[in-house]
Amino acid sequence: MMGSVTAAAAWLAAFSLITVQDAPIVQPGAPGEAATRLTPEASVEMSDAGYTEADIAFMQDMIVHHGQAVEMVALIEARTENEAVRAMGARISLSQSSEIELMQNWLRARGQSTESKLLKSGGHGDHDMGDHKMDHGDKDPMDMPLMHGMLSPRQMKTLAAADGLAFDRLFLSGMIQHHQGALDMVDMLLSDPSNGQDALLSEFLSSIVGDQSAEILRMQTLLSALGSPS
């Protein structure tokens, strides 16, 4: 009996080793790109990949980006009774507030500042993720958004001054613009394959793409249901 158990244990160990060795190792691709099958050696090397300066800048800037979304949602309470818009706003505020905390914790755990260099420079600074910076040319500063998709100071002022149906339209169109900007920033980060390799960051980027893409579709439906301005 003991011999049978020993033999079975040896077979199971051998089977497990074969299974592990033969199991494919797949790296998820960037949005719109196919996954990549990795060799065991490449997998081990990537697990030690760490993070880049661009990853740090992305998290610092996205905290500011998310912060404006929360600020936009805060306007809802006194400006509309539309239940669908209020529900969408509550969902966005909850998720983006949680993600701000996640990003702050990610940065602190790696000994990094949570402050955006772009924000500190008023949008005129330069750092490794300079693509977040907008090319404003000779525009009025009131028409200059700080980052991709963010509302300009004038857009925020107009939104804050609106109410009722006009507010609903401005909020939904503005938040669609805001979400698309976040997706663009993820695409820019991942355009360099050395970025986004940190496991937690990679998971976070995937959640941004999934959640905000779904919310854009939902807000487009809500905006369409409001009809065109007369």
Side-chain angles (χ1 to χ4, degrees):
M1 183 65 179
M2 181 63 72
S4 298
V5 171
T6 302
W11 179 86
L12 181 60
F15 176 80
S16 299
L17 179 61
I18 292 171
T19 301
V20 169
Q21 289 177 336
D22 290 350
I25 302 172
V26 178
Q27 177 193 12
E33 297 181 2
T36 303
R37 188 164 180 163
L38 302 175
T39 64
E41 292 77 13
S43 176
V44 170
E45 182 178 348
M46 288 187 63
S47 68
D48 295 329
Y51 52 90
T52 65
E53 289 295 322
D55 292 334
I56 295 168
F58 174 87
M59 296 296 252
Q60 292 169 334
D61 291 345
M62 192 56 73
I63 289 171
V64 178
H65 203 277
H66 275 37
Q68 189 187 63
V70 175
E71 184 181 349
M72 291 169 65
V73 172
L75 296 172
I76 286 179
E77 178 65 27
R79 290 168 177 80
T80 183
E81 297 299 326
N82 186 311
E83 290 300 327
V85 172
R86 293 170 75 95
M88 176 57 71
R91 171 190 169 91
I92 290 172
S93 181
L94 182 64
S95 63
Q96 304 234 345
S97 295
S98 297
E99 289 176 356
I100 287 173
E101 184 176 353
L102 180 152
M103 290 185 279
Q104 291 171 334
N105 290 338
W106 187 92
L107 288 164
R108 289 177 182 134
R110 288 155 182 78
Q112 303 297 327
S113 169
T114 60
E115 292 187 67
S116 164
K117 295 177 182 175
L118 194 55
L119 179 64
K120 290 172 68 176
S121 68
H124 302 291
D126 192 17
H127 55 80
D128 289 344
M129 200 54 191
D131 283 342
H132 296 168
K133 184 175 59 181
M134 304 296 294
D135 181 9
H136 297 303
D138 296 326
K139 282 185 178 179
D140 185 327
M142 284 294 289
D143 296 319
M144 297 180 181
L146 184 62
M147 300 175 201
H148 288 269
M150 288 184 70
L151 271 60
S152 68
R154 193 183 308 282
Q155 285 180 300
M156 285 297 292
K157 184 177 179 180
T158 302
L159 179 65
D163 62 9
L165 184 57
F167 175 85
D168 296 340
R169 289 196 179 101
L170 287 172
F171 175 82
L172 291 170
S173 59
M175 193 62 82
I176 290 170
Q177 166 191 320
H178 196 276
H179 274 27
Q180 185 57 55
L183 299 181
D184 292 343
M185 288 169 65
V186 172
D187 283 344
M188 285 187 286
L189 179 70
L190 296 180
S191 65
D192 182 339
S194 65
N195 299 330
Q197 297 298 329
D198 177 277
L200 287 176
L201 174 60
S202 178
E203 185 177 347
F204 175 58
L205 296 175
S206 296
S207 72
I208 287 181
V209 173
D211 292 349
Q212 300 205 19
S213 295
E215 288 175 353
I216 286 175
L217 292 175
R218 176 61 178 153
M219 288 189 287
Q220 288 173 333
T221 300
L222 293 176
L223 185 59
S224 178
L226 295 178
S228 302
S230 56

